[in-house]
Amino acid sequence: MNRTALAFAALLLAAMAWGSTVVVAKSAFESISAINLLVVRLVLTGVVLGAVFATRLPMSRGTALRGAVLGALFTLGIGSQIIGLQYTPPSLSGFVTASYVVFTAVISAVLLRQRQPSRTWVAVGLTIVGIMVLASGASTGEAGFGFGAALTLFGALMFAFHIVLLGRWVGPGNVQQLTVMQALVGAIVSLLVVPFTSFELPRDPVLWGQLLYLGIFCGAMALFLQSWAQSHVAATPSAVIMCTEPVWSVIFAVAFGLESMTAAILIGGSMVVFALLLTVWPRRRARFVDALVDELRRRRGRTS
């Protein structure tokens, strides 16, 4: 029970960190480009986790390969989210990113042949409509909004693949090795990108504080907390806690004055959160939704 409670607390802390990421990164864009921010953040994460788990680096070829795949997916997700954030408000970025919960259910149904209840497809529709409502209320000053939202959605898809594979591969015996391998892959990819960018080390101490927060707290710590917690907590309760991420994004965005609470945020955000909860809700407590969908299908069949 104590270990389970700690795992729940770890996931909640990680969700808070992920939610704050979009706000801190958005603020940092005033002094640094998205590519440079990504490079510093991922290198910091790799250096910290590499130093902490240096003794765990010797690992089997299979573990190293799985860690590399997870690291590539995680890096693609983070990269798409941060670059897309340049063109989207923090609240929209948070809600679109959190759609990985719905993507996770769809991937499990398509690739893993796991039959999904009817409410999963209802949740997919609600998520799409909710994102459209959020998009309709976004600031018109966000240039290239459509591109940014699409890129963020791609990042959410990468996070979904990451969660599905992490849940299948991680265990108490290899959590440290998979975590450090993911971080090192992100750092290596970042360093390979540097020659093709106009990279410069930041000099502003305030900016360095933001980068250290993103790289260490939102990067190294949150990545380990997620991996460790998923090795101790089942997928459904884990996903329920992860659903709080967009809520934290809005809380931080409004608290720090980056956005104002609007009807679009309240309505669209509520639809997305309801869809996420509907996706992961225990089957015995959501049979009424499945029954309603089945009844609508039967009536449609009679009238056609």
Side-chain angles (χ1 to χ4, degrees):
M1 290 297 294
N2 289 337
R3 182 169 294 180
T4 301
L6 284 174
F8 283 142
L11 280 173
L12 183 60
L13 188 59
M16 290 177 63
W18 296 327
S20 69
T21 293
V22 294
V23 176
V24 177
K26 191 76 170 179
S27 177
F29 286 159
E30 297 177 2
S31 307
I32 191 172
S33 69
I35 295 297
N36 286 356
L37 184 149
L38 270 171
V39 169
V40 177
R41 173 182 174 169
L42 292 172
V43 169
L44 280 172
T45 300
V47 168
V48 170
L49 288 176
V52 172
F53 298 124
T55 58
R56 305 297 295 176
L57 284 175
M59 63 186 77
S60 67
R61 183 178 300 177
T63 299
L65 181 59
R66 290 175 176 176
V69 171
L70 291 171
L73 291 171
F74 185 77
T75 301
L76 281 172
I78 288 291
S80 300
Q81 180 194 39
I82 295 299
I83 296 174
L85 183 60
Q86 291 183 106
Y87 312 105
T88 56
S91 60
L92 178 61
S93 178
F95 282 110
V96 173
T97 299
S99 64
Y100 61 71
V101 177
V102 177
F103 280 138
T104 299
V106 175
I107 291 170
S108 298
V110 175
L111 296 184
L112 304 183
R113 306 289 185 179
Q114 295 177 356
R115 188 175 182 273
Q116 298 295 323
S118 300
R119 65 180 181 278
T120 296
W121 310 112
V122 174
V124 171
L126 277 174
T127 300
I128 294 172
V129 175
I131 291 174
M132 290 174 64
V133 172
L134 285 163
S136 69
S139 170
T140 56
E142 299 287 343
F145 171 79
F147 169 74
L151 197 57
T152 306
L153 197 62
F154 174 77
L157 181 61
M158 295 299 100
F159 284 137
F161 277 108
H162 178 264
I163 290 172
V164 170
L165 294 179
L166 180 62
R168 290 177 63 87
W169 291 341
V170 73
N174 67 357
V175 59
Q176 296 177 354
Q177 294 174 324
L178 287 180
T179 300
V180 69
M181 194 65 192
Q182 292 177 72
L184 290 178
V185 167
I188 292 170
V189 170
S190 298
L191 293 174
L192 291 175
V193 169
V194 167
F196 304 97
T197 65
S198 55
F199 179 79
E200 292 183 4
L201 279 175
R203 299 179 181 179
D204 183 1
V206 175
L207 177 59
W208 265 113
Q210 294 171 322
L211 294 174
L212 288 171
Y213 175 81
L214 291 171
I216 298 175
F217 185 74
C218 300
M221 192 193 73
L223 181 60
F224 174 72
L225 288 177
Q226 179 197 5
S227 299
W228 178 80
Q230 280 200 251
S231 69
H232 293 287
V233 177
T236 296
S238 295
V240 171
I241 297 175
M242 291 177 186
C243 287
T244 64
E245 179 184 349
V247 178
W248 292 112
S249 297
V250 172
I251 290 173
F252 288 125
V254 173
F256 286 95
L258 294 180
E259 290 189 65
S260 299
M261 185 61 68
T262 64
I265 291 177
L266 286 173
I267 297 172
S270 297
M271 294 178 70
V272 173
V273 171
F274 181 75
L276 303 182
L277 291 173
L278 192 62
T279 303
V280 300
W281 207 253
R283 180 174 299 181
R284 64 181 181 277
R285 297 183 182 180
R287 287 177 178 171
F288 70 98
V289 178
D290 295 334
L292 178 61
V293 174
D294 292 340
E295 179 62 24
L296 290 174
R297 285 176 175 172
R298 283 194 292 269
R299 293 185 179 183
R300 186 177 179 179
R302 294 194 197 106
T303 57
S304 59

